[in-house]
Amino acid sequence: MTLFLGTVLAVLLGGLYHVLVSPQRATTWAAERFVATEHGLPPREALDSQRPGPPPAAHLREERQAVAGAAWQGNWKTAARYVGEAGEDWDERWTRLKLLQQVAEEDDAWLDAWRAAEPDNCDAATLHASLMVHRAWAIRGGGYAHEVMTSNMERFKAMLPAAIEEARKAALLDPANPGPWVVMITAARGAQYRRAAFRPLWDGLVARAPYHYEGHWQALQYWCAKWFGSDRRMLRFARQAVRKAPYGSPLAGIYLHALDELTERSSFGSVPVTPLSRNMLKRVAVSFDQVAPDDERLPLLRHLLAHHMLKSMLYAGALEQFRRIGPWCGAPPWRKDGNAVVAFENARGTAVRLSRARPTSAPQTHGIVR
């Protein structure tokens, strides 16, 4: 029995050493001896903390600026055409609507003109409803309920029913379009919809777009503990997103947002590492390999994946993500402590050290070209 206890103690101490002491030593090594280029990573002087990934292609930037400029000049037809050209790529269509929402936040006279000229246009009606929700949320702010002024909370709650009603009207204009359902799902938690009222909205969305990224992100917020779910419900929802993510979709990234939510509320600043959570992270990494490299959602998600893999002691996997990320380090995991370059460099060095990666014969250049 004594021998057995001694063996168990040795294993536990070894585990504690690996969890507590090894990362501390790796951080010291990263600060003093880590040479990024020896491991296929961009050098520290090449790191860019202004963005999480490369800027959009020049033609996309020009197109978006042209759409915004035309709208501000009163030309709503350019905006209408811009959204319509996305066809039934519902994620892309929603991305374009979000851009137009940002344009309308500064001046929405063109949107009023669009709605007046085409009262039966689902995109215009959806954009109007989404803008109403956004303005309500701007009054509330992003804090927890107890942090919001009573007057602002009352205004917030009073504005949402009208926004939901506008979204319902929009849904009737084009029954196949999931956009209005995303708006309703977004507003549902603020409007205090209980589960029985929320589920038909969710069913309505997935019947039209079963893999809609923004719709899943908004539903994840509903199912988290600070709204109308729990940690268990939120994680179950997020794991389902990983399992059903189709080829080419970044939907598996929803699981990373769930881990962020847990970390934010954890008194320890981290969440328990389990075989299931490690397996999920590996599946997320495989899913991301199927996403187009120019998907603008992917760089930020790779930062989150690298961060959570590092916390979960998946050091080789984290290092692979850092190699794919390249020199871009302007992402939340690294910016939250103030100096993104230092945090990013320490994370990369820790991944190298604890994965026991050997220096590469020739530095890789993935992600360096701007």
Side-chain angles (χ1 to χ4, degrees):
M1 181 64 71
T2 302
L3 179 61
F4 172 76
L5 291 176
T7 302
V8 171
L9 181 60
V11 171
L12 290 175
L13 289 175
L16 286 173
Y17 176 87
H18 185 73
V19 172
L20 300 176
V21 180
S22 293
Q24 293 175 3
R25 289 190 174 184
T27 300
T28 301
W29 179 87
E32 298 176 354
R33 301 176 58 187
F34 172 51
V35 180
T37 54
E38 293 181 355
H39 298 277
L41 298 164
R44 178 169 179 154
E45 57 268 22
L47 298 183
D48 188 329
S49 62
Q50 300 304 306
R51 302 181 55 86
H59 73 279
L60 292 178
R61 298 199 301 271
E62 293 169 0
E63 179 184 40
R64 293 165 185 173
Q65 187 57 50
V67 170
W72 287 327
Q73 292 174 11
N75 181 1
W76 57 265
K77 292 183 179 180
T78 300
R81 184 167 56 252
Y82 176 65
V83 178
E85 287 174 350
E88 294 185 0
D89 182 343
W90 299 120
D91 274 348
E92 176 61 23
R93 201 176 185 104
W94 182 260
T95 296
R96 296 186 180 202
L97 277 178
K98 293 295 286 186
L99 172 66
L100 293 180
Q101 179 178 296
Q102 295 172 14
V103 174
E105 287 169 16
E106 297 189 29
D107 180 359
D108 63 354
W110 61 272
L111 176 57
D112 291 338
W114 183 10
R115 294 178 60 228
E118 296 187 343
D120 295 333
N121 188 291
C122 179
D123 292 321
T126 300
L127 180 55
H128 173 62
S130 182
L131 188 61
M132 292 174 69
V133 174
H134 178 82
R135 287 172 172 167
W137 227 283
I139 293 171
R140 183 197 184 280
Y144 289 95
H146 69 274
E147 299 171 341
V148 181
M149 293 178 56
T150 301
S151 58
N152 288 348
M153 184 64 82
E154 290 176 351
R155 289 177 63 196
F156 168 69
K157 292 180 179 179
M159 294 172 69
L160 288 177
I164 293 174
E165 181 58 28
E166 288 298 306
R168 290 190 185 278
K169 293 177 181 178
L172 297 176
L173 300 176
D174 183 359
N177 193 326
W181 298 87
V182 177
V183 176
M184 287 186 275
I185 285 173
T186 303
R189 64 183 187 275
Q192 305 291 301
Y193 273 36
R194 298 298 170 181
R195 295 170 189 170
F198 177 81
R199 288 189 181 279
L201 301 182
W202 175 249
D203 291 341
L205 171 65
V206 296
R208 293 160 175 81
Y211 312 117
H212 200 288
Y213 188 90
E214 178 70 13
H216 276 77
W217 191 89
Q218 294 295 344
L220 180 79
Q221 297 301 306
Y222 180 90
W223 290 117
C224 73
K226 67 186 178 186
W227 286 100
F228 297 99
S230 63
D231 292 348
R232 181 178 61 83
R233 289 178 181 275
M234 178 186 68
L235 284 173
R236 183 174 62 186
F237 178 84
R239 287 193 291 265
Q240 288 173 348
V242 176
R243 295 184 181 112
K244 73 179 184 180
Y247 187 94
S249 169
L251 186 63
I254 294 297
Y255 180 72
L256 304 175
H257 292 298
L259 294 183
D260 272 358
E261 175 66 27
L262 290 179
T263 302
E264 180 182 340
R265 293 188 296 101
S266 171
S267 57
F268 300 102
S270 61
V271 297
V273 177
T274 67
L276 177 57
S277 66
R278 287 161 61 92
N279 181 58
M280 281 290 113
L281 290 172
K282 293 175 183 178
R283 292 184 65 164
V284 171
V286 171
S287 184
F288 285 178
D289 288 343
Q290 302 167 355
V291 180
D294 61 351
D295 190 306
E296 293 180 55
R297 295 164 292 186
L298 190 56
L300 176 57
L301 291 173
R302 287 202 183 278
H303 284 283
L304 297 179
L305 179 56
H307 171 68
H308 287 295
M309 280 188 150
L310 203 58
K311 295 293 185 182
S312 299
M313 297 178 285
L314 295 171
Y315 302 118
L319 177 56
E320 177 59 25
Q321 295 307 311
F322 284 124
R323 286 180 173 144
R324 291 171 180 264
I325 287 167
W328 316 98
C329 60
W334 328 119
R335 299 177 68 171
K336 63 183 179 182
D337 292 329
N339 192 323
V341 170
V342 171
F344 186 70
E345 186 74 348
N346 286 341
R348 295 195 305 170
T350 299
V352 166
R353 185 64 169 173
L354 294 179
S355 67
R356 300 180 180 180
R358 295 183 178 182
T360 58
S361 57
Q364 299 177 14
T365 59
H366 179 86
I368 295 179
V369 178
R370 306 188 187 190

